[in-house]
Amino acid sequence: MNLILKEFREKNGWTQEELAEKVGVSKGTINRWEQRKSNPSKLATEKLIELGINIGNLESNEEDFRLGNEREFNYNGQKYFVKPQPYVLNAPSDQNYFHDLLITIQEQMNTSIPWDVYKKRLSMIEYVEPGTKTSQSILEKRKPDAKSWNSNYGTHGWHRYIGRFPPHLVRAILNYLNAGPNDIILDPFAGSGTTLVECRLLGIPAKGIEISPLSALITRTKSKFPEIRQVEILNIISELEIFYQTEWSIFINNRSFEEITYENIIEREGNIIEPFVNYERWFSKEALLGVSIYIQFIQTKTGYIQDLLLVALSSKMRSIGNVDVDVVRAEYSKKPRENVDVFKIVKSQLAKMAKDISESYKTHELTITNNDKIQVIEGDILQTNLPKGSISHIITSPPYGVESISYLRTHLLSFRVLESFLSADPYTFGDNVIGSEYLPKEEPDISEFKVSSLSETFNDFFKVIKEKETAEKHKIRILMMMKFFEDMNTVSLKFHEWLKENGKVAFVIGNKKIGDTIIPTDQIIKEIFESNGFIFESSIGHKLKTNNSNSQVPWQDKIIKDEFIMLFTRGTNL
Ligand SMILES: C[S@@+](CC[C@H](N)C(=O)[O-])C[C@H]1O[C@@H](n2cnc3c(N)ncnc32)[C@H](O)[C@@H]1O
């Protein structure tokens, strides 16, 4: 961005002063941007775009420059050359901009981490002079024509999860925080565990809190893998193959699937799947039998291997069941899948997982830590108590994009099939799920919310929206959002209690909409945090699309406008 800025300014024949005047900042600010000492705010960036700067979608030369050439990187006052990863080719302009920001965040650290380690843990960097590859770039397997970032390196790609962090973002923030082995990082909305995986790889002790037992399982498995040899998992696959084929032929007994009913499969000796509503529509007979035998096999295993087998199945459930993959809340698709071979599907997933574990150890040998340094707490943040002042920093994103309940229902089929392991039903989760649809029967007045005394923006915004003609139509959504902010108040008080003095919070949050009206989520969050003893540092805006979530996320544009990484520092005691 900064080099692009200089080039853009010179192309237009403007001096720094002239550009400064046009953007409405000082000459010194332009100089700092060009020197990469600071970054333009969101507003200033918009101004630059208005002036005609082409931040992304860079044609020919500029693109070559960004992707092919080195850029200067400033580390503790020393200059090095780094080469950015080429994952932004053809990416949307805001992604290019964000890519640049990620590199810059990592330059702004105040670090004691030795350069040898630091250069390996840089994110969005392919290599550092004199040619050292970063751990991540080795794992990412360079794909020069990739349309978007690869967010699936290490164990990150084990499960597609809505609203997953790009791991590069977490890494950049960890670098910015100067986090190391003497810290404890918390992600209290752990989701599928991106923060915890990054911490594990970089040798930083971490804790996660996650309410959904399925997500907690995924997080645990991805971040607490033992140093298991690839061959041990391959042996388990061979054992599974024999078990599977034996059970399959005993049951089929030379019959065709036309002769077999769904009831026969459920009544099969060894089956533990309970029939559930519409189960015949969710699975073909072959798929149901395959899943049933696979689960029978899982029961013979314990500990980490059992978790690994469960996650392998859950991650492939959308290819096994008749699921419409692009909807947020799982729906069975009208067109059943044919020829589903469960063994083949899980076999390749397990083999990939085995490889990912061993590669993670190899590529991060300088930093990877013991799995006991990572702790996953399955539970509700609102009911969790951690020791006062025990956490160094928090990196998290609450469920603001879709209602939390959708996180559970997207994986409905996993919950149904793995019921005996998860003991939870996504349709009977209580109101402890943040952003849930379980709302008070009586519509409360704005003043009944604690946030109303903390955030003026909250009051003003909801007062106006409640008086709009469309208020009745959006009644539930309005109430949900008010309850969401009320919960965020409780959450920020907990953060204050758990954090050490000067601990930082990186809070990733987006501006949702009610109808066409954008909710000033970032501003309300800022006011809540400030009232609860936090100092607002900065907000990094982006509108990021990576390949890390459900493919099309059709709801995304409808309900989220922008996303922000909001940085706060915990002040002294309240
Ligand atoms: C935006 S997602 C986090 C995704 C995560 N950053 C990742 O990379 O996978 C938010 C998560 O918060 C969880 N959640 C919702 N209510 C919660 C609560 N009361 N306590 C703890 N976790 C909760 C949801 O189940 C969901 O997994």
Side-chain angles (χ1 to χ4, degrees), residues 161 163 165 189-192 194 210-211 380-381 397 404 407 432 434:
Y161 199 79
F165 276 144
F189 297 101
S192 63
T194 315
E210 171 54 54
I211 198 165
D380 170 12
I381 180 180
S397 180
S404 221
Y407 283 95
N432 45 0
I434 286 173

